[in-house]
Amino acid sequence: MSLKDLLFAERVCKTWRTNIQNDPLLWKNIYIEEPLNCIKDAELFRLVQRANGNLKSLTLINCRTINEECLRRVLEISPKLKRLSVPGCSRIKIENLIDMLRSLNLRGLKQLRINGLHEIKLKHYEELKLLLDADKGDHQKTLSPSFYHRDHSSLSLKDDRALDIEPCYMCGDPRVLFDCPLESCQERQSTSSPCRACINCIPRCSQCGRCINNIDYEETFCLAFRCWGCKEALEAVHGQEVKEE
């Protein structure tokens, strides 16, 4: 059950509330996104306490109200944590997050998502790789390509990569890198100029994720790019809806 479903279910009756709140298995994976991302520090801590030390995965997407002290307290009572995702949590500084992970020695932590934290440098990336033993883990996996979409610009924990960021081969900055869904571009992946880079270096269609180099495209009102193929497909869908009305 999702967090939203659990919170609704515990309001059904007193018995349900007691059973749900006191079953640690229901709270092993906590995923918080809109509209629940306005959660306060104390509320998050109480939710994590329900896992009774069995929290395996914690995802906080754009939770700009969560501060570093709260996150530290959460990590202290979560020794079995394997996956941590804090993209867009702007009150968490990368240096302090690294200090937390180092001091708490979370040996079981295997995946970390930090896209959107401010001022991530190459030195931070290298240190996080060491903490997660990322090189060893990723080299043993066949990693799936990651494609860009405006609504999903960060890697989820379902992706097998230990870290969501890596140095962009074009600008050198540690960012989320995206592949191109075009077969012609995928064939270039083993060359010296693969079509795999951060969104700043290779602009992509916000719908299909393809690169927009040397093709017709439009810039939307939201300052996103849309290739001509997706534009025509979207117009065709809207036209069909108008006819049906």
Side-chain angles (χ1 to χ4, degrees):
M1 295 178 68
S2 68
L3 176 62
K4 189 175 181 179
D5 290 337
L6 286 172
L7 295 178
F8 273 122
E10 69 177 30
R11 297 169 64 182
V12 171
C13 64
K14 186 175 181 179
T15 301
W16 278 39
R17 181 169 65 251
T18 301
N19 291 339
I20 290 173
Q21 291 184 358
N22 294 312
D23 187 350
L25 296 180
L26 294 175
W27 304 95
K28 289 197 306 181
N29 302 292
I30 296 178
Y31 187 102
I32 298 177
E33 60 178 348
E34 291 185 354
L36 300 178
N37 62 331
C38 58
I39 188 171
K40 301 294 189 295
D41 295 333
E43 295 167 339
L44 174 62
F45 188 72
R46 284 196 295 269
L47 290 179
V48 174
Q49 280 183 312
R50 296 180 183 182
N52 196 25
N54 294 300
L55 185 68
K56 297 292 182 64
S57 173
L58 176 63
T59 298
L60 306 172
I61 298 180
N62 295 324
C63 293
R64 298 181 177 89
T65 57
I66 299 301
N67 63 30
E68 294 169 350
E69 181 57 31
C70 173
L71 182 60
R72 174 179 285 278
R73 293 175 63 207
V74 164
L75 296 180
E76 286 175 347
I77 63 172
S78 306
K80 298 181 181 180
L81 190 68
K82 293 183 177 180
R83 298 176 293 275
L84 175 64
S85 179
V86 289
C89 294
S90 54
R91 297 185 67 185
I92 299 174
K93 294 183 178 180
I94 185 63
E95 295 92 345
N96 296 336
L97 176 60
I98 292 174
D99 288 342
M100 286 183 215
L101 298 179
R102 189 191 302 113
S103 62
L104 294 174
N105 196 22
L106 296 173
R107 296 183 179 276
L109 189 64
K110 300 301 181 184
Q111 288 184 289
L112 183 64
R113 302 290 180 260
I114 55 174
N115 181 42
L117 300 194
H118 298 309
E119 299 182 355
I120 300 177
K121 307 296 184 184
L122 193 58
K123 63 178 182 179
H124 301 137
Y125 167 74
E126 296 294 345
E127 189 157 4
L128 287 171
K129 276 206 311 179
L130 290 175
L131 286 172
L132 297 176
D133 201 10
D135 280 337
K136 179 180 178 181
D138 284 352
H139 285 165
Q140 294 176 347
K141 303 170 185 173
T142 301
L143 301 176
S144 302
S146 53
F147 302 126
Y148 176 77
H149 190 281
R150 181 175 176 83
D151 295 333
H152 307 285
S153 57
S154 297
L155 295 187
S156 74
L157 289 172
K158 293 180 180 179
D159 186 278
D160 288 334
R161 291 172 176 81
L163 278 167
D164 57 340
I165 61 168
E166 57 185 292
C168 175
Y169 91 96
M170 297 183 72
C171 66
D173 293 333
R175 303 178 185 273
V176 177
L177 306 190
F178 296 101
D179 299 284
C180 189
L182 295 180
E183 290 186 9
S184 58
C185 289
Q186 291 183 19
E187 292 172 355
R188 292 168 43 198
Q189 296 301 70
S190 59
T191 68
S192 59
S193 58
C195 188
R196 173 177 170 80
C198 69
I199 197 65
N200 292 343
C201 292
I202 299 183
R204 299 189 180 278
C205 172
S206 60
Q207 298 295 316
C208 68
R210 65 155 296 169
C211 57
I212 58 172
N213 295 329
N214 303 318
I215 65 166
D216 293 330
Y217 65 90
E218 69 170 359
E219 187 170 355
T220 69
F221 181 76
C222 299
L223 303 181
F225 299 114
R226 184 183 292 137
C227 71
W228 213 252
C230 288
K231 175 182 180 296
E232 292 179 339
L234 192 61
E235 289 176 347
V237 171
H238 287 170
Q240 184 65 30
E241 290 176 349
V242 171
K243 288 181 180 180
E244 291 176 354
E245 290 177 358

